Amino acid sequence: MFNLNKAFYLYQTQSFTGTELPAKTLCLTFDDGPGKHTADIARFLYENNIQATFFVVGKYAYHHPDILQQLKEMDHLVGNHTYEHPDIPYYVSVDGNIIDQVVRTDAVIKPYVTSNRVYFRAPYGKWSPEVAHELNRSILTANHIGPIFWEVAGIDCYYWQNNWPAEEAAARYLTDIEQQGRGIVVFHDEIADMDVVKPRNKTLELLKILVPQLLERGYQFVSLDEIPSIKETSTEKPTFTLRSKGGKRVSLKNKIELYAVGQAGNLQNLLTLEELGYGKVAIKAANNLYLSTAGETNNLTASAVEMNATETFDLIPVNATTIMLRCTNGFYVAIEKNGKLSSSAQFMRQAAIFSYANHNLAVKNSISLMKRFSLLKKRLLFVKSKLQQKISQ
Ligand SMILES: [Zn+2]
């Protein structure tokens, strides 16, 4: 039985929160940017010694690498808030590709992500166990952690929508914060959905009023990676298994050789991944040594203590859950007749296609059939209520 309290290094079925923070401790987060106020907000926080997290929308981030660079230089964290800001549970229910939303955003933000994982926040905080499951299927999101929820909601955008002065909005935030006493606070440095409200964004003015009041009342600020349940996961390495077309797992044999002959549940099957950018990865086997070709064709072993060029591979996704690996000499990783892995495939058509499975997910697998059934029932009720609404209109 897995430990419910143990936070795994993957997408959780339940969001992370800041309730375990000590009293009067806040973690400030900003959603929906980057936009025209982002750099000024970041600088104001930096000058007040506050390290914030900016959950950026991929399509805006794509056009503002300069702002992402400034966030990085000011020691703020950059997180993933999808590419187009969809309502994810609905988006997934109509066959929307959430992995693509997240991976495209990653491609833009990766150079500015300073931690060894990518923090994720779902638009509107909308989430479901099915979404977590969907995202955990892909090796491309294996170093992600989330979703990150909050204690104090980011309703600043509704204040701006209703033309509130910054003073009143700041007073409301202060009341909400005092009520909670601690936790993750959300603001909007930009507003993803309501274009008409964007020019009315006064979140910078709000912060200039609120932050001094909070400091005066003895509040302290911590960064997202200091949230206890998140911090705990930083020691966890995301582990995974690869399976051949024949259904056998890649497993360590004879100390350094790899064979696609393993059965499920064998610790010798476990692999860990290091992302190196531009689709390059290094992989460690269960012996804690890197997979290496040592620059030779047809030689693939888990034998390298250090990572050099011959220990890196191009990770080529075939679909959400399957991959191919290409070695630095252009040969692909293949499976020989006896099951041994080698770097002998000269052409892609000879390459082995491996199925990826997140090992932590296999351990956790917490969504029972009954839960799935009740979720389906809920969804049907939701559809029914919508239909009835239409009829009564
Ligand atoms: Zn958002």
Side-chain angles (χ1 to χ4, degrees):
M1 197 60 192
F2 62 89
N3 179 358
L4 266 177
N5 299 318
K6 175 98 184 140
F8 285 95
Y9 196 138
L10 41 61
Y11 282 99
Q12 311 286 310
T13 53
Q14 305 246 314
S15 301
F16 284 96
T17 60
T19 47
E20 327 114 88
L21 283 171
K24 293 217 164 193
T25 307
L26 302 173
C27 169
L28 304 192
T29 62
F30 292 82
D31 290 3
D32 292 13
K36 73 176 192 186
H37 305 289
T38 307
D40 290 338
I41 288 174
R43 193 164 304 107
F44 170 75
L45 296 168
Y46 178 73
E47 283 163 2
N48 281 277
N49 218 5
I50 299 171
Q51 191 188 21
T53 303
F54 290 79
F55 289 101
V56 302
V57 172
K59 66 177 175 180
Y60 299 147
Y62 176 78
H63 292 284
H64 291 295
D66 51 323
I67 301 177
L68 298 186
Q69 180 61 30
Q70 290 182 58
L71 292 177
K72 185 179 172 183
E73 282 167 12
M74 287 187 257
D75 285 334
H76 295 303
L77 300 174
V78 175
N80 188 322
H81 196 43
T82 73
Y83 204 84
E84 264 119 7
H85 208 257
D87 169 344
I88 305 176
Y90 176 75
Y91 187 69
V92 169
S93 80
V94 293
D95 210 23
N97 189 340
I98 183 58
I99 295 172
D100 179 64
Q101 283 281 333
V102 170
V103 169
R104 273 195 292 153
T105 306
D106 259 11
V108 178
I109 68 171
K110 272 286 173 69
Y112 313 99
V113 172
T114 45
S115 46
N116 61 354
R117 55 210 156 144
V118 178
Y119 293 111
F120 178 82
R121 173 172 281 156
Y124 326 103
K126 288 191 180 180
W127 195 245
S128 75
E130 277 71 19
V131 173
H133 179 72
E134 182 64 22
L135 281 165
N136 286 330
R137 289 170 66 214
S138 175
I139 195 169
L140 301 175
T141 55
N143 66 341
H144 282 217
I145 189 161
I148 311 293
F149 203 67
W150 54 78
E151 275 65 49
V152 178
I155 41 178
D156 47 350
C157 44
Y158 297 104
Y159 297 149
W160 312 144
Q161 189 183 14
N162 295 308
N163 291 312
W164 282 35
E167 292 77 15
E168 255 177 79
R172 270 298 261 283
Y173 261 93
L174 185 63
T175 308
D176 290 354
I177 289 168
E178 290 276 75
Q179 250 165 27
Q180 295 293 334
R182 77 198 71 206
I184 302 171
V185 188
V186 185
F187 301 94
H188 288 85
D189 53 313
E190 184 56 282
I191 297 160
D193 302 334
M194 302 179 284
D195 284 356
V196 289
V197 186
K198 277 183 185 171
R200 296 185 229 156
N201 187 320
K202 293 192 282 275
T203 299
L204 176 61
E205 289 90 318
L206 182 162
L207 289 165
K208 285 184 176 170
I209 300 163
L210 180 65
V211 168
Q213 289 176 343
L214 291 170
L215 289 169
E216 213 169 275
R217 284 164 197 244
Y219 280 89
Q220 294 199 336
F221 299 92
V222 293
S223 80
L224 193 63
D225 44 20
E226 289 170 76
I227 303 265
S229 59
I230 292 173
K231 199 173 176 178
E232 192 186 320
T233 59
S234 66
T235 53
E236 296 275 325
K237 275 228 171 94
T239 48
F240 66 99
T241 60
L242 292 178
R243 218 170 44 206
S244 70
K245 264 194 169 158
K248 299 289 189 204
R249 283 161 177 82
V250 171
S251 192
L252 195 62
K253 282 227 156 189
N254 309 328
K255 294 203 170 132
I256 60 162
E257 289 173 342
L258 292 149
Y259 281 79
V261 295
Q263 302 293 326
N266 183 349
L267 288 177
Q268 296 299 303
N269 300 346
L270 295 188
L271 303 163
T272 55
L273 188 76
E274 280 178 41
E275 281 191 70
L276 307 166
Y278 301 101
K280 280 267 183 238
V281 296
I283 298 171
K284 271 186 179 176
N287 59 5
N288 213 24
L289 298 175
Y290 288 102
L291 266 61
S292 172
T293 59
E296 293 168 41
T297 302
N298 208 7
N299 179 43
L300 182 76
T301 52
S303 55
V305 179
E306 280 182 43
M307 186 211 310
N308 293 305
T310 55
E311 284 72 48
T312 66
F313 301 84
D314 288 315
L315 187 150
I316 303 167
V318 180
N319 63 34
T321 58
T322 58
I323 60 158
M324 291 188 272
L325 294 166
R326 187 169 50 212
C327 314
T328 44
N329 61 2
F331 282 64
Y332 291 84
V333 174
I335 301 171
E336 310 275 293
K337 281 210 174 75
N338 61 357
K340 188 174 184 296
L341 263 61
S342 71
S343 52
S344 60
Q346 193 178 355
F347 304 105
M348 187 182 253
R349 63 176 181 271
Q350 299 160 335
I353 296 177
F354 298 103
S355 295
Y356 161 84
N358 187 318
H359 174 69
N360 295 337
L361 186 69
V363 176
K364 192 163 164 132
N365 197 15
S366 62
I367 316 164
S368 69
L369 204 63
M370 277 307 283
K371 182 102 187 258
R372 275 176 194 280
F373 182 70
S374 84
L375 281 165
L376 184 69
K377 208 166 120 190
K378 270 187 204 161
R379 206 164 297 155
L380 288 172
L381 285 172
F382 171 72
V383 172
K384 198 176 149 195
S385 73
K386 282 273 172 207
L387 285 172
Q388 278 171 344
Q389 222 176 353
K390 272 232 167 92
I391 291 163
S392 64
Q393 270 172 4

